[in-house]
Amino acid sequence: AYGPAGAMVQRFAITAVQQAILGRTVMGTTRPDFIIMDEYPVFGDAEADVRFMSLSRSQLGGTLLAFQNIGGAHHAARTARNPKAAAETLLGLPAVKMFASITDPETQRYAQDVFTMTPQPRISFGNSEDSGQERNQPGQGGRRSNTNASFSSELQHDVPAHHLRRLRRGGPASRFKVDIVVGVSGRTWVSTDRPSIVVEFDQIRL
């Protein structure tokens, strides 16, 4: 029920709230205010919202943007003077990023890059054979096969694409559980010592 008129009214209201937050005097009793924009591409203005997010921290203002895939950020930036730069800045500014089950390949690649590369354990197995003579055991013919294992680590995506596809999406099949991957810029979680953590939510059934 958005429609062009509904989107315009919502954008007007959002702009008014943003200006009020940026123009207020912050005191010890001032409480933080958050603007939550679901289905962001419908009424988003990338240039205006980038400006607000860049300035609002000192004014105790915050923004939550929700969209289905990162194509939504490019859609919201389509009228900007530099759409590509506006979309990239819009995606980069939020300190906390959350991803649910993702099937869009472009968004999967973006999520992999967001959580960087971390050392992941790697186990390698190999087979070798030796003979009785090689074991200095004369008279014992035949060959013996040995399995060897080596342990190492290598840099891999902390949140690989296949992991994002397997996150639970709610519904009876997953007992109404939803998984979200959460990351905070420049920090690691104490429980995992990694930049990402999987959080479980109960799906709200209306």
Side-chain angles (χ1 to χ4, degrees):
Y2 289 118
M8 185 180 299
V9 170
Q10 291 182 77
R11 186 67 236 181
F12 178 81
I14 290 168
T15 300
V17 174
Q18 288 176 336
Q19 292 177 348
I21 292 174
L22 294 179
R24 68 182 175 181
T25 300
V26 176
M27 300 179 292
T29 57
T30 302
R31 294 185 176 182
D33 287 304
F34 290 88
I35 300 175
I36 300 174
M37 290 183 264
D38 193 14
E39 299 297 343
Y40 177 72
V42 174
F43 46 80
D45 182 335
E47 283 190 316
D49 296 328
V50 162
R51 177 180 179 274
F52 175 74
M53 287 190 286
S54 300
L55 301 174
S56 61
R57 182 173 181 179
S58 61
Q59 296 298 110
L60 299 184
T63 303
L64 190 153
L65 308 177
F67 34 80
Q68 300 295 323
N69 51 59
I70 65 170
H74 293 280
H75 179 79
R78 66 193 182 281
T79 60
R81 287 167 291 183
N82 187 334
K84 184 175 184 296
E88 291 177 350
T89 305
L90 183 72
L91 291 168
L93 276 174
V96 180
K97 293 181 174 65
M98 298 179 286
F99 295 91
S101 178
I102 299 171
T103 57
D104 175 60
E106 184 182 8
T107 307
Q108 289 175 353
R109 290 191 293 270
Y110 174 78
Q112 287 185 149
D113 294 338
V114 160
F115 294 112
T116 69
M117 308 279 279
T118 56
Q120 304 289 334
R122 179 180 181 181
I123 305 175
S124 301
F125 295 94
N127 294 316
S128 62
E129 292 184 349
D130 59 9
S131 64
Q133 287 78 11
E134 291 171 340
R135 298 194 304 272
N136 296 321
Q137 296 176 350
Q140 296 184 14
R143 305 183 70 83
R144 183 176 64 181
S145 177
N146 300 310
T147 300
N148 304 308
S150 61
F151 299 86
S152 61
S153 65
E154 65 179 8
L155 288 176
Q156 297 180 1
H157 288 292
D158 190 63
V159 182
H162 66 84
H163 178 71
L164 294 168
R165 291 194 296 268
R166 290 202 297 257
L167 295 175
R168 292 176 296 178
R169 307 178 66 176
S174 60
R175 298 183 180 180
F176 300 99
K177 299 294 184 180
V178 178
D179 294 327
I180 303 290
V181 179
V182 184
V184 181
S185 300
R187 299 182 183 180
T188 57
W189 298 93
V190 174
S191 59
T192 63
D193 195 31
R194 293 168 55 181
S196 66
I197 189 172
V198 178
V199 181
E200 176 188 285
F201 291 93
D202 291 320
Q203 183 181 26
I204 298 176
R205 288 172 281 176
L206 301 177

